[in-house]
């Protein structure tokens, strides 16, 4: 399954489309909220229960990325994209079976567990390759690919809503929608498998071969022993928790916020809101990550976390009185959420080098697994408890938003603590390593 090495003259700009074909497909995960109301109605689920496939999918994303990161580095992007294709599509097919026979555990197993493995392997599959193709602009390169994951719901949300409208919102209609998703994404992801190429060495801007990576290099096993890794783990976890808390419950949240007003939000408009969030998520991934190449990774995370806390405060205080304000703040939060994902590989490259950046990135994504449980759990559990207490509308989410503000402040502090990696963690440069090897027999 080794991908063909790029021939002389191969354009590096053909690599991002290969990555996009995979990321646009697995980005469907962000459209899960469109399926929540039909599943709750057809199978009698609570909001917390209907979030379980999404939560498990994000958990498996982080775990499979962490445990599979080294395999991806070793076997290459084509192997990784193939594994992602098989798992992600199989997850939808299992979910279709579960919906058809009204066995929710099969949907959780298919979409959450099997599909989640496809999410994790597919997500990290192009990252290391892109950084090697674009050493001069790592933030922009990873942003181009990872924006596909954020933009997947821009396609999947209206597409899923239209299918549910055409097929019906009962269990058989949901099953048919899952089946169409699984088959369609298999075909689309196959394009990336066939197109991906790896550089001969480490091409520069013009595609010519360069010498081995320069600057400090840290192995994946050594990276997790550094405080920098764990500071970035906290940063990513807090930023993702804040964004995913809105994203997972986006459609019902905007409906609840304005249910008691003179202009309630329809089901179609709520699906459109999910698509808008996806657009902001996607735009943030390329826009903010490219900006990080200019102003630095630490500064851009100050924006994500600091301004993000301000946006949550505005929604908590004034969101239910102004629909444009609610939508605008949510879009900004989701752009930071997407930007945080796209910027983190370049942040890792700055601190740890390119030697095993894909494997390090995979291990860091366990923060996403934690956030995938934490964010939806905070929002759904508190909303369910508030509803049981007789509250409704925006009051279902007030406490959740206060918690999110606190988490973003924690992430801001962790980002401030990031410093360059101590030289004792660096891999010795080739000359140093050779010198050490010569010294050993002499001293013996």
């Amino acid at each position: 399954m080794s991908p063909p090495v790029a021939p002389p003259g191969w354009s590096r700009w053909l690599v991002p489309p290969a990555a996009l074909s995979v990321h646009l497909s697995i980005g469907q995960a962000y459209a899960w909220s469109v399926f929540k109301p039909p599943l709750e109605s057809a199978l009698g689920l609570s909001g917390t229960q209907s979030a379980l496939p999404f939560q498990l999918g994000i958990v498996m994303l982080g775990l499979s990325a962490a445990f599979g990161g080294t395999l991806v580095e070793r076997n290459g992007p084509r192997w990784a994209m193939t594994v992602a294709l098989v798992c992600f599509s199989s997850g939808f097919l299992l979910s279709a079976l579960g919906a058809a026979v009204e066995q929710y555990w099969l949907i959780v197993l298919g979409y959450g567990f099997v599909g989640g493995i496809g999410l994790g392997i597919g997500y990290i599959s192009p990252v290391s390759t892109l950084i090697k193709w674009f050493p001069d602009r790592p933030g922009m390169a990873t942003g181009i690919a990872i924006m596909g994951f954020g933009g997947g719901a821009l396609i999947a949300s209206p597409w899923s809503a239209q299918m549910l409208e055409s097929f019906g919102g009962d269990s058989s209609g949901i099953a048919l929608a899952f089946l169409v998703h699984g088959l369609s994404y298999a075909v689309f992801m196959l394009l990336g498998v066939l197109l991906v190429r790896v550089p001969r060495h480490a091409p520069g801007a013009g595609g010519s071969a360069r010498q081995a990576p320069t600057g400090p290099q840290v192995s994946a096993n050594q990276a997790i022993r550094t405080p920098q890794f764990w500071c970035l783990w906290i940063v990513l976890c807090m930023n993702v928790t804040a964004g995913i808390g809105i994203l997972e419950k986006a459609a019902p949240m905007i409906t609840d916020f304005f249910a008691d007003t003179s202009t309630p939000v329809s089901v179609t408009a709520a699906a459109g809101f999910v698509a808008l969030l996806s657009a902001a998520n996607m735009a943030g991934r390329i826009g903010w990550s490219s900006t990080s190449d200019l102003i630095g990774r630490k500064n851009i995370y100050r924006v994500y976390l600091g301004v993000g806390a301000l946006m949550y405060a505005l929604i908590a205080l004034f969101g239910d009185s102004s629909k444009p304000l609610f939508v605008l703040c949510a879009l900004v939060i989701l752009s930071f959420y997407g930007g945080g994902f796209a910027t983190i590989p370049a942040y890792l490259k700055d601190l740890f080098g390119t030697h095993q950046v894909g494997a390090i990135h995979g291990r860091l994504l366990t923060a996403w697994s934690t956030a995938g449980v934490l964010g939806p759990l905070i929002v759904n559990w508190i909303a369910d408890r508030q509803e049981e207490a007789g509250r409704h509308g925006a009051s279902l989410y007030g406490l959740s938003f206060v918690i999110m503000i606190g988490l973003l402040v924690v992430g801001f502090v962790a980002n401030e603590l990031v410093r360059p990696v101590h030289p004792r963690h660096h891999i010795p440069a080739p000359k140093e390593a050779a010198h050490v090897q010569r010294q050993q027999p002499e001293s013996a």
Side-chain angles (χ1 to χ4, degrees):
M1 286 304 298
S2 297
V5 176
W10 178 269
S11 173
R12 64 179 181 168
W13 293 103
L14 293 174
V15 180
L20 275 172
S21 71
V22 173
H23 275 239
L24 281 170
S25 299
I26 62 178
Q28 185 280 334
Y30 284 143
W32 177 253
S33 64
V34 175
F35 285 101
K36 281 171 63 70
L39 282 170
E40 290 168 15
S41 175
L43 302 180
L45 307 173
S46 68
T48 303
Q49 289 173 322
S50 67
L52 187 57
F54 176 82
Q55 288 177 290
L56 181 57
I58 298 302
V59 169
M60 293 309 301
L61 185 158
L63 293 178
S64 61
F67 289 105
T70 304
L71 289 174
V72 172
E73 288 281 330
R74 183 185 306 149
N75 298 328
R78 176 168 287 181
W79 173 87
M81 290 178 178
T82 302
V83 172
L85 184 159
V86 172
C87 291
F88 190 65
S89 296
S90 298
F92 268 113
L93 299 182
L94 272 174
S95 298
L97 176 62
V101 299
E102 298 187 3
Q103 294 294 317
Y104 187 56
W105 69 271
L106 273 174
I107 299 176
V108 176
L109 174 66
Y111 191 93
F113 185 81
V114 179
I117 294 173
L119 289 178
I121 300 299
Y123 189 86
I124 63 173
S125 61
V127 169
S128 178
T129 302
L130 282 165
I131 288 178
K132 290 170 184 173
W133 275 110
F134 293 86
D136 51 328
R137 285 181 279 181
M140 181 212 67
T142 54
I144 289 175
I146 293 176
M147 78 172 180
F149 194 90
L154 188 62
I155 300 169
S157 180
W159 184 36
S160 300
Q162 183 59 50
M163 276 195 285
L164 291 170
E165 185 177 335
S166 301
F167 301 151
D170 58 359
S171 57
S172 61
I174 297 170
L176 191 53
F178 282 151
L179 177 63
V180 172
H181 275 77
L183 297 177
S184 300
Y185 285 133
V187 174
F188 194 59
M189 293 172 76
L190 184 61
L191 297 176
V193 173
L194 298 175
L195 185 61
V196 70
R197 299 287 188 277
V198 294
R200 289 181 175 274
H201 301 291
S208 57
R210 302 184 79 158
Q211 45 190 314
T214 57
Q217 304 292 320
V218 182
S219 69
N221 287 336
Q222 195 65 29
I224 62 173
R225 296 182 172 92
T226 65
Q228 289 82 358
F229 177 89
W230 295 106
C231 283
L232 289 187
W233 193 97
I234 293 171
V235 166
L236 184 63
C237 184
M238 299 301 101
N239 194 55
V240 172
T241 300
I244 215 168
I246 286 182
L247 192 57
E248 186 274 336
K249 202 174 173 68
M253 181 183 290
I254 193 171
T255 303
D256 290 337
F257 247 80
F258 300 98
D260 300 329
T261 67
S262 58
T263 56
V265 177
S266 66
V267 174
T268 303
F273 175 62
V274 175
L276 273 178
L277 291 180
S278 178
N281 188 353
M282 180 173 64
R285 290 172 187 244
I286 182 62
W288 293 122
S289 62
S290 297
T291 303
S292 77
D293 287 334
L294 302 176
I295 69 173
R297 322 301 172 195
K298 193 168 188 174
N299 286 332
I300 201 69
Y301 272 96
R302 286 169 173 153
V303 174
Y304 298 156
L305 299 160
V307 179
L310 176 61
M311 294 296 103
Y312 256 116
L314 289 175
I315 293 178
L317 294 172
F318 310 111
D320 59 339
S321 61
S322 171
K323 196 177 295 183
L325 178 66
F326 177 92
V327 172
L328 178 63
C329 290
L331 292 177
V332 172
I333 290 170
L334 263 294
S335 77
F336 292 160
Y337 169 81
F341 277 122
T343 309
I344 205 70
Y347 209 162
L348 292 172
K349 177 255 182 189
D350 293 346
L351 290 170
F352 303 110
T354 60
H355 175 60
Q356 288 190 325
V357 68
I360 298 170
H361 183 223
R363 296 177 189 192
L364 191 77
L365 290 181
T366 52
W368 193 356
S369 295
T370 304
V373 174
L374 193 59
L377 183 63
I378 291 171
V379 174
N380 285 291
W381 188 83
I382 291 177
D384 288 346
R385 299 292 81 77
Q386 297 284 38
E387 191 171 10
E388 289 173 4
R391 295 184 176 86
H392 53 84
S395 61
L396 297 174
Y397 304 99
L399 178 58
S400 301
F401 290 172
V402 172
I403 293 173
M404 296 300 180
I405 293 170
L407 293 178
L408 286 169
V409 171
V410 171
F412 189 94
V413 173
N415 184 55
E416 292 302 306
L417 296 176
V418 174
R419 298 290 186 273
V421 176
H422 194 280
R424 71 173 179 271
H425 298 292
H426 296 172
I427 296 173
K431 289 182 180 179
E432 292 178 41
H435 178 70
V436 169
Q437 289 176 350
R438 286 196 303 269
Q439 290 286 78
Q440 287 175 343
E442 289 172 11
S443 61

